[in-house]
Amino acid sequence: MAKLTFSYSGNMVTTVYDYPEGYDETLTTTIDTHGRIEKVVGRQQQYQFEYDYSDNIAKRGLYDNDNPNVPTFIVNFGYDKKNSPLSGFNGYFYILTQAFNDIYSAVNKRISNNNLEFYNHTYNK
């Protein structure tokens, strides 16, 4: 099992994944002035984020660190108008969940992306 270590300075959060196989990986996350994740930079690539009016992550672009102005892949997300059970969390929530690589926003519930992946949610009556 990998060990995760978080440290921060100003608007930068560093996450170190220490794997039992003897190697580690470091991600540096930049927080914008609204407390949202702006970008996550790894060894060779980075994610950059854009938000909708509700502060959901609307777009996540993947970029090579050598050319951070031209995306190699973009995912656009759609959301319903129902509050996520995690809506009390702010943008820092992404830092804690990026290790699981699936939870992108805590505001509303994600329903689709442009990779033709769709999500269904069952709500209490």
Side-chain angles (χ1 to χ4, degrees):
M1 176 185 290
K3 176 183 172 185
L4 295 173
T5 304
F6 299 95
S7 59
Y8 64 93
S9 176
N11 69 334
M12 305 288 276
V13 177
T14 302
T15 306
V16 177
Y17 295 81
D18 184 11
Y19 294 99
E21 296 83 11
Y23 66 95
D24 64 354
E25 182 176 354
T26 301
L27 298 176
T28 302
T29 303
T30 304
I31 312 297
D32 70 14
T33 58
H34 302 286
R36 303 175 303 196
I37 305 303
E38 185 175 85
K39 66 181 174 179
V40 178
V41 179
R43 187 175 308 141
Q44 296 174 340
Q45 296 177 317
Q46 62 182 270
Y47 286 118
Q48 295 179 20
F49 299 89
E50 292 182 20
Y51 294 82
D52 65 15
Y53 62 91
S54 296
D55 280 343
N56 292 302
I57 297 171
K59 184 190 302 187
R60 184 187 67 186
L62 179 63
Y63 299 78
D64 289 328
N65 287 343
D66 294 337
N67 190 4
N69 297 317
V70 179
T72 58
F73 192 77
I74 291 180
V75 178
N76 297 301
F77 298 103
Y79 298 87
D80 62 16
K81 299 299 179 201
K82 306 278 186 173
N83 281 342
S84 165
L86 306 171
S87 61
F89 291 98
N90 64 14
Y92 296 108
F93 184 69
Y94 183 86
I95 298 170
L96 298 176
T97 60
Q98 67 188 359
F100 303 104
N101 201 25
D102 191 42
I103 301 174
Y104 300 110
S105 182
V107 181
N108 297 121
K109 293 181 180 172
R110 181 178 57 181
I111 57 173
S112 66
N113 65 30
N114 61 326
N115 294 325
L116 300 178
E117 296 175 341
F118 298 93
Y119 307 87
N120 292 317
H121 304 279
T122 302
Y123 301 98
N124 294 334
K125 294 181 180 179

